[in-house]
Amino acid sequence: MAKLGKGLAALALSTSFVTIAQAAETMRCSHQLPPAHHIAVVVDKWAAEVEKLSEDEIDVQIFGADSLVKANDNILAVAKGDIECAFSLNFQWGKTLPLMNVTVGPYTMSSIEAWKKWPTSEAAAFLEEKLAEKGIKNIAWMFQTNTSVFTSKGKPLTKPEDFQGLKMRGIGPAFDRGLVAMGATTVSMPGSEVYQALATGVIDAAITDVAAAYSRKYYEVQDHMTVVPVLAAYLHGYVNPAWYDGLSDKSKAALKQAGEAAAGWALEASIEASAHAPDQLREKGVTVHIATDEENAAFQAAMQPSFAEGFAEESGEDGKKLLELIKKIK
């Protein structure tokens, strides 16, 4: 009987472990960034923090580099419930929610001090409401860059006239208007496809985060890069609302706390990456030019009116309200 009792106890213990294991909520998170990207590292750190704070109630599974869902399909996949979670760059919302493009306005929000205030700002809360209307629950804001590069081959892009006749990877309808105003033709494609497009001549040039130019190895296919504070970009994490509603209070609190922590980590990592990237690119043989105040003023004058017109058309009264809220933190 003793042996039988021990056997039953072992079986009961085993069953309890299975029950606990089954109770863990699987959270598949898709994003497009390569493993070496500084924000991809932050996403991994965030995932570990969620598991720790939820005491393993949530099993976070990260799928980077477009390995689960393609970048342009992430939003719909989460809204439909095909996956639980994804991270997207703000300009990937395109015309679906053009308000998300507000920070890519040429020279609109490049202040690090403003970005420190962003996650808890009225502007961010306003966007979270609009994201909810599109069928997703926002859980994290991760500042990625306020320092971009215009990449090119053969000669640098240092003034608006240099863009005449270039075929470039664009980042979204409103911002691309500024590139077109300078004479470029824009092509839409995911970040993961840009390297190959540059290598094969499908496009002549690109605009990207200065750190991404290094982590995506653009230096192998472009030899000139002009550093410009032309736009600010962020990655944001979001989940399926129905999945979120099924979580325990502990798990919901874990997501909130981890998201707040990750916002700080992303800001620190982005500042560091932007500081080191120009020298890293130079070490790879790239001619790096830091745009002067005069050059930035010329780019702003050429690009900003077209962006403002496009953003106003796409976002309407909501866009005006968001710009007013952003003024409070600039």
Side-chain angles (χ1 to χ4, degrees), residues 77-148:
V78 172
K80 288 171 58 181
D82 294 341
I83 58 175
E84 294 76 32
C85 160
F87 290 82
S88 292
L89 290 163
N90 55 313
F91 49 77
Q92 286 170 332
W93 279 89
K95 294 183 178 180
T96 304
L97 186 59
L99 285 173
M100 294 290 280
N101 294 328
V102 67
T103 66
V104 303
Y107 303 88
T108 295
M109 192 174 160
S110 54
S111 163
I112 289 296
E113 290 306 311
W115 278 103
K116 288 178 180 177
K117 302 172 188 174
W118 174 263
T120 57
S121 69
E122 292 179 74
F126 182 69
L127 279 182
E128 286 176 351
E129 292 175 9
K130 297 303 176 182
L131 288 166
E133 292 173 9
K134 296 298 180 182
I136 67 164
K137 164 72 176 175
N138 200 74
I139 57 167
W141 299 106
M142 297 185 183
F143 169 76
Q144 178 170 323
T145 187
N146 64 345
T147 309
S148 304

Side-chain angles (χ1 to χ4, degrees), residues 23-83:
E25 288 285 348
T26 299
M27 185 182 188
R28 294 164 296 172
C29 293
S30 170
H31 70 76
Q32 73 181 65
L33 302 175
H37 195 287
H38 65 283
I39 295 297
V41 175
V42 172
V43 171
D44 289 341
K45 186 176 179 180
W46 163 86
E49 188 74 0
V50 170
E51 292 184 341
K52 183 184 80 173
L53 293 173
S54 71
E55 296 180 344
D56 292 325
E57 281 189 3
I58 302 177
D59 174 21
V60 187
Q61 301 171 8
I62 302 296
F63 297 85
D66 285 341
S67 59
L68 181 63
V69 178
K70 294 297 183 184
N72 291 338
D73 299 325
N74 277 328
I75 296 166
L76 184 59
V78 172
K80 288 171 58 181
D82 294 341
I83 58 175

Side-chain angles (χ1 to χ4, degrees), residues 2-23:
K3 289 183 179 179
L4 179 59
K6 287 181 180 178
L8 289 172
L11 178 61
L13 189 61
S14 173
T15 302
S16 69
F17 283 151
V18 171
T19 302
I20 291 169
Q22 290 175 338

Side-chain angles (χ1 to χ4, degrees), residues 63-292:
F63 297 85
D66 285 341
S67 59
L68 181 63
V69 178
K70 294 297 183 184
N72 291 338
D73 299 325
N74 277 328
I75 296 166
L76 184 59
V78 172
K80 288 171 58 181
D82 294 341
I83 58 175
E84 294 76 32
C85 160
F87 290 82
S88 292
L89 290 163
N90 55 313
F91 49 77
Q92 286 170 332
W93 279 89
K95 294 183 178 180
T96 304
L97 186 59
L99 285 173
M100 294 290 280
N101 294 328
V102 67
T103 66
V104 303
Y107 303 88
T108 295
M109 192 174 160
S110 54
S111 163
I112 289 296
E113 290 306 311
W115 278 103
K116 288 178 180 177
K117 302 172 188 174
W118 174 263
T120 57
S121 69
E122 292 179 74
F126 182 69
L127 279 182
E128 286 176 351
E129 292 175 9
K130 297 303 176 182
L131 288 166
E133 292 173 9
K134 296 298 180 182
I136 67 164
K137 164 72 176 175
N138 200 74
I139 57 167
W141 299 106
M142 297 185 183
F143 169 76
Q144 178 170 323
T145 187
N146 64 345
T147 309
S148 304
V149 282
F150 291 132
T151 78
S152 56
K153 190 172 184 178
K155 64 176 184 177
L157 305 176
T158 59
K159 56 186 182 297
E161 294 81 358
D162 294 335
F163 289 75
Q164 193 67 42
L166 286 183
K167 186 177 289 187
M168 293 185 68
R169 181 251 183 154
I171 61 172
F175 180 84
D176 291 357
R177 282 175 175 244
L179 297 176
V180 172
M182 294 192 294
T185 300
T186 60
V187 178
S188 176
M189 66 178 66
S192 58
E193 297 177 9
V194 177
Y195 177 97
Q196 188 64 22
L198 289 168
T200 57
V202 171
I203 56 176
D204 306 306
I207 176 170
T208 189
D209 165 26
V210 62
Y214 181 76
S215 64
R216 290 190 181 277
K217 300 183 179 181
Y218 284 13
Y219 52 78
E220 294 180 349
V221 289
Q222 301 270 269
D223 54 16
H224 285 79
M225 298 190 189
T226 300
V227 180
V228 283
V230 68
L231 63 87
Y234 57 88
L235 198 77
H236 73 114
Y238 51 93
V239 296
N240 177 271
W243 177 84
Y244 178 84
D245 289 343
L247 296 176
S248 69
D249 289 344
K250 180 199 291 183
S251 289
K252 289 177 181 176
L255 287 174
K256 184 176 188 299
Q257 190 174 339
E260 291 170 352
W265 299 334
L267 194 61
E268 292 169 3
S270 295
I271 291 170
E272 183 177 355
S274 294
H276 293 318
D279 284 339
Q280 290 174 321
L281 290 166
R282 289 187 182 101
E283 289 170 5
K284 294 296 184 180
V286 176
T287 300
V288 178
H289 172 69
I290 309 297
T292 65

